[in-house]
Amino acid sequence: MPQNIRGKTIELGDLADEERKRIYGYYAPMGTPLLDLGAFPTPQDVKVAAQAAAALSGRSTPAAVYDTYVRLVLGQAIASVGTKVCRRIAHHVFRQFSPFLSHEEFDALAEDALSEFGAPVAWIERIKATRLFEQELDGISFSHDLLVNHLIAADIVHSHRSNLEELPELLDQPLYRPLVAEVVSRIATKQTAVGLLLRYASSQIFESAYLGYLGEPIREGLFRFLEEVLQRTEAELDALELDFIPAESDRSYPCVLPHVHAKPLDADFCALPLIINHLKTFLPRIAEVFRRYGDNLLTAIRSLARTERLRQSAVLDLFLREEIVCSPARLRCSQLVHLFLERSHSRSLLTTELSALCETSFEAGSVFNPILDYVTCTVWERRHDPNVPKMLGIFRKCWESNSHYLRLRAIDMFQFSVALAH
Amino acid sequence: MHWLTEQPREIVQKVVSEIESRLGNDAILNTSLFEILSRLGELESPVSKESAQDEVSELLAELQIRSTNEPDELGTTLAERASSFVGKIFEEIFMGSYFPVFDNLCPEDKATLLNAAAMDLRFSFNHDFFLAEIVKLKQKSSKKVFQMFCCRTPKRTFQLGQEHRLFAASVVGLAAIEEPLPEWVDGNSSPCVAWKALREIFYCELTGRIDRAESLWKHIESEDPLGGVSALLQLRFYANDPLIDSQVRFLPEEAAPLAVKRLLEIGLKNWRQLDLGDLEVGVFSHNPFGMVCDILARIGGEQSVSLLEAFTRDAQKGSDAIRAIRAIKQRLRAVTSPP
């Protein structure tokens, strides 16, 4: 071609997340959830993914969107077998830690799979030519790691469909751990799926489940679990007892610790951040937990102070030091307090609206409540619209409790408030 | 109406009265209460700027004639007084008087004061600051201070990594003022051998004399390879603390990729035998294995991959190892793929 009529080659850069979301939003039905659009590098890919989602009824999961996308890209004629072949190849490259295969390796793998599924070998080229793959002179690789993850997750669930109880053996391996969410979202048996969700509990996977990215049954299962965690938290408060541990040779100071009847599950501790992250939804319940925590704590303190002949403020301080001021908390309710304080400090939690809601919910009135007053100080210390009479009221209550840690917290309320103003 | 300080005067006054009424016998609570009063403009510094100025002038004059660690008739050394003076710039009640005085000192006087403060042998959380400031000032008078902190292997302290940061800052300081490293006064066993050599490698990098580094890497590999892995990871971690000097980076894998790769591969083969010092202290672990993986992801080869494969099933280290293997394979693929 003569130089002067040859067109310019323009290489488009990767789409930004916002651009992907806009394209996706244009083609996808309202509310279609999709965790990560990273697997769809070009506008055309995003459009196909969005159209795939549109073809799915109800609230689709990313897993369903990816599956539909793969089928659409492969084309109706070879979709079924093509998907199986792609899954097998995906699993192979995943295990060898590299997405790249030479043409010979790819052809051999695809040929074996096609023969096994009774399909013509000639389909290799059709599969290869789809945008699921990137071809180079010396080989071929999947166009995106996320495609590989979804294909493997589907392969794992398919190959374990009759022995799901053996899935942990696989998912316990570090290699497969990143795939837990994808695998769980594909399991049809709700009980098994939720069981695995709890076994591999993490704040991240719980958040995905909470947002419905892993499917409605799992979301329901998680909500039930959250309810159970809150129930266990309340039950723990109803049975609140304190143990006094005097100073010993290996520890130079005495302790007051809560008597833990049953150690909380790891999954319980992963659920608590989720509850705090969605504070607005759970606020009435959290306020109730904090109120009961404070009330029951005072009762337990009175009882222990009587038995051990100690001052109540000293018992309160010994308890606060171990359970609230220093980590790790032993009780779920203490962990809730910790998380609330931590998120409030980093200002990632308390918007103006939420802090106003908290202020109302945590209002302990004139009665001293060591937990509610403690967290309310934190709510006020970050507010840029202080209600000074209310702050002074809390300050006095905390001060008159004679507790060193509550006094410090009350001071912090004003100190941070003034420091932030500066 | 917004922040507390922007409230009407009578409201602020109510807070002031409440705070003042709570001053009592508890020094900790009083300090915090005074800080609030100070910020509300209700407290004069107990020391005036003039007094702070007199204090530092007297201190600087004494530093010309007396040794820093020689106690006076009250048993206090000049180093302790200097440390206490500089420490007050961080204290709410004093900072209004002490900070402007400190800040207005000429570089030579500031260095003299900080040099003395750094010589205070008592533990303090301010030593990082003293050294970082001295490094910035680049005064020849700081030579002895720098030499004091990098003449032996850093040990564990209450504040994890503090000696390591001071060690790294001192090497940076000596390079900056073009003074040589001090005589090594520590032993000749592991990991001292490695720390001594790494100190020189770091100094060579800072002064641009990288031709000497190759023989030092060989020395570490032959004489103290396990100590070398530990020292390399620790020095690399703490020397890159932006508090020391945000311009200084110690990334030896860039200047000597082969030597670092070989050393880290030796580390992988003997991982259980490594003493990773302050990098791995219970819950305060900085994940040194992850650091090795990050470095090898950039410089590792086939040999690194086969060593890392041994960790891919390990519950703690598996995900780091897999991430590094993937990155190495991807990089090797990019190098070998046809254009």
Side-chain angles (χ1 to χ4, degrees), chain A residues 353-375:
Chain A
E353 183 207 356
L354 257 181
S355 61
L357 283 173
C358 287
E359 177 212 326
T360 318
S361 305
F362 298 157
E363 181 73 69
S366 57
V367 182
F368 170 63
N369 182 308
I371 301 297
L372 278 182
D373 291 333
Y374 199 95
V375 293

Side-chain angles (χ1 to χ4, degrees), chain B residues 101-160:
Chain B
V101 171
F102 172 78
D103 200 39
N104 285 333
L105 289 174
C106 68
E108 291 79 8
D109 285 348
K110 201 185 266 190
T112 305
L113 183 68
L114 288 162
N115 289 340
M119 298 295 235
D120 181 2
L121 302 173
R122 298 169 307 173
F123 174 82
S124 92
F125 285 104
N126 295 332
H127 269 71
D128 291 5
F129 172 79
F130 301 154
L131 261 285
E133 287 299 296
I134 299 171
V135 169
K136 274 186 221 150
L137 288 166
K138 294 183 185 157
Q139 298 292 313
K140 288 273 189 187
S141 65
S142 305
K143 179 181 167 186
K144 268 192 182 169
V145 178
F146 292 143
Q147 291 190 332
M148 181 176 97
F149 285 107
C150 66
C151 63
R152 56 168 61 85
T153 304
K155 303 283 186 303
R156 183 167 294 170
T157 50
F158 173 69
Q159 188 186 358
L160 287 180

Side-chain angles (χ1 to χ4, degrees), chain A residues 88-277:
Chain A
R88 182 151 316 171
I89 294 168
H91 213 145
H92 178 85
V93 298
F94 187 70
R95 277 198 217 99
Q96 63 160 26
F97 308 118
S98 165
F100 182 78
L101 289 170
S102 68
H103 286 296
E104 293 74 26
E105 283 174 297
F106 183 94
D107 291 353
L109 279 168
E111 195 177 326
D112 279 356
L114 286 167
S115 308
E116 188 183 325
F117 303 134
V121 173
W123 284 9
I124 293 177
E125 290 309 316
R126 289 176 68 179
I127 293 169
K128 252 186 184 178
T130 64
R131 69 167 69 89
L132 296 176
F133 298 99
E134 274 176 12
Q135 294 211 50
E136 291 170 59
L137 283 176
D138 59 341
I140 188 165
S141 53
F142 277 97
S143 55
H144 203 285
D145 286 346
L146 290 177
L147 277 172
V148 178
N149 290 355
H150 279 279
L151 285 163
I152 300 163
D155 193 44
I156 290 171
V157 175
H158 181 75
S159 58
H160 283 78
R161 63 191 181 282
S162 56
N163 53 344
L164 287 170
E165 69 282 0
E166 287 175 17
L167 268 174
E169 202 179 312
L170 187 79
L171 295 176
D172 280 348
Q173 296 174 33
L175 178 64
Y176 290 97
R177 280 307 266 284
L179 301 180
V180 168
E182 282 92 340
V183 169
V184 164
S185 70
R186 289 165 183 279
I187 294 172
T189 326
K190 184 176 163 184
Q191 198 183 349
T192 310
V194 174
L196 285 172
L197 180 83
L198 301 182
R199 180 185 173 101
Y200 299 104
S202 70
S203 301
Q204 205 180 1
I205 196 170
F206 274 12
E207 186 71 31
S208 299
Y210 184 87
L211 295 172
Y213 295 157
L214 308 187
E216 201 49 34
I218 292 176
R219 187 163 184 266
E220 284 168 12
L222 180 72
F223 270 72
R224 185 170 299 163
F225 177 71
L226 292 180
E227 177 55 35
E228 287 166 7
V229 172
L230 284 165
Q231 280 173 11
R232 281 195 283 273
T233 306
E234 286 164 350
E236 194 178 60
L237 288 174
D238 291 340
L240 184 63
E241 287 175 90
L242 305 180
D243 294 329
F244 177 73
I245 300 152
E248 286 166 2
S249 55
D250 59 336
R251 200 188 44 247
S252 57
Y253 52 87
C255 287
V256 171
L257 296 175
H259 189 79
V260 179
H261 297 280
K263 200 170 170 256
L265 307 168
D266 286 348
D268 283 19
F269 277 131
C270 288
L272 299 173
L274 188 70
I275 291 171
I276 290 290
N277 285 349

